[in-house]
Amino acid sequence: DQQVKQNSPSLSVQEGRISILNCDYTNSMFDYFLWYKKYPAEGPTFLISISSIKDKNEDGRFTVFLNKSAKHLSLHIVPSQPGDSAVYFCAAIRSTTSGTYKYIFGTGTRLKVLA
Amino acid sequence: EPEVTQTPSHQVTQMGQEVILRCVPISNHLYFYWYRQILGQKVEFLVSFYNNEISEKSEIFDDQFSVERPDGSNFTLKIRSTKLEDSAMYFCASSERLTTEAFFGQGTRLTVV
């Protein structure tokens, strides 16, 4: 059961243009969403997050949008830079009725920014 | 900047052997996690740990797996009898609070032969 989905396995964007990475989820009980960037042979690095009560969060070149009715979030990178080339994972935190929680990761989108 | 450290960076083991993967989370963090990523596949949640006990575990985290925080600084993942399919990159992570971002270590590449 893939609760967090990234339907585009890869994306290529010209340097300076906008990169838009998409993520869909199925569970309306997610409390918090995060985006991570991962370079080969390294651990995921946190980029930006958004609470389920918000619809937008911005940090420098990175903006995350959340559309709860569509169960969809997106990460916008403007302007894109070659150093942004990496695999991007969206993740969601779900708390359970027993008070536990779990991070669930999407399958990742490989972004390539072309110089 | 504080970071999560994992040792070793690469571990090769024979099938059926026990392995212990070690992690030192960020010192003021209270929540600890293990994830794994099989080559070419997604990052999969294994287990979360809080207040000296497992908070949540996935279906992957069966009786062959265990976690421990033996001394207040280390956080270990033990696989009792490794299988070929356990070969993966294992990531440790920690977070300060439940809904803050998790910081990941560089990973331990486990190769079971």
Side-chain angles (χ1 to χ4, degrees):
Chain A
D1 175 25
Q2 186 60 40
Q3 296 187 54
V4 180
K5 302 177 191 176
Q6 292 175 256
N7 292 319
S8 298
S10 64
L11 175 69
S12 291
V13 172
Q14 286 290 332
E15 181 180 6
R17 307 294 290 267
I18 183 171
S19 294
I20 300 177
L21 298 125
N22 294 304
C23 180
D24 297 294
Y25 60 95
T26 57
N27 192 332
S28 59
M29 300 301 292
F30 286 131
D31 304 297
Y32 214 70
F33 301 91
L34 309 96
W35 282 96
Y36 284 83
K37 179 168 74 172
K38 186 181 180 302
Y39 294 116
E42 293 185 15
T45 304
F46 169 75
L47 270 179
I48 192 168
S49 62
I50 188 166
S51 164
S52 60
I53 62 173
K54 296 190 174 181
D55 55 20
K56 179 182 174 181
N57 189 26
E58 197 169 348
D59 183 4
R61 295 187 298 115
F62 302 92
T63 303
V64 56
F65 295 92
L66 176 63
N67 182 334
K68 287 189 72 176
S69 60
K71 295 191 179 69
H72 177 84
L73 70 155
S74 60
L75 174 69
H76 292 208
I77 307 173
V78 183
S80 302
Q81 298 172 355
D84 295 330
S85 298
V87 178
Y88 289 77
F89 292 94
C90 68
I93 297 178
R94 177 174 63 85
S95 55
T96 68
T97 52
S98 57
T100 60
Y101 60 93
K102 185 157 57 176
Y103 267 76
I104 300 173
F105 279 82
T107 49
T109 297
R110 182 176 300 280
L111 173 66
K112 190 170 184 181
V113 179
L114 307 168
Chain B
E1 185 176 322
E3 59 180 14
V4 176
T5 56
Q6 289 185 244
T7 54
S9 56
H10 191 187
Q11 173 94 44
V12 181
T13 188
Q14 292 219 324
M15 191 169 56
Q17 295 294 304
E18 175 184 286
V19 292
I20 297 177
L21 308 183
R22 302 180 192 280
C23 170
V24 179
I26 294 173
S27 60
N28 64 330
H29 285 186
L30 301 177
Y31 298 84
F32 312 110
Y33 318 80
W34 282 100
Y35 288 81
R36 77 172 186 191
Q37 186 181 28
I38 295 171
L39 187 63
Q41 298 185 26
K42 64 176 182 174
V43 176
E44 299 174 294
F45 170 79
L46 291 177
V47 66
S48 58
F49 192 87
Y50 170 70
N51 201 26
N52 285 321
E53 61 183 19
I54 290 174
S55 298
E56 181 96 16
K57 59 183 180 179
S58 72
E59 52 279 358
I60 301 168
F61 194 88
D62 61 21
D63 292 343
Q64 292 300 312
F65 291 88
S66 62
V67 288
E68 199 176 33
R69 189 155 161 80
D71 56 13
S73 63
N74 290 285
F75 180 51
T76 61
L77 174 69
K78 182 193 290 185
I79 310 174
R80 285 191 186 80
S81 177
T82 50
K83 303 188 283 281
L84 294 176
E85 54 265 38
D86 293 328
S87 296
M89 196 77 163
Y90 286 80
F91 293 104
C92 171
S94 67
S95 65
E96 189 176 356
R97 296 188 301 275
L98 186 60
T99 53
T100 56
E101 62 272 19
F103 290 81
F104 284 76
Q106 299 281 30
T108 293
R109 179 169 297 285
L110 176 65
T111 303
V112 182
V113 296

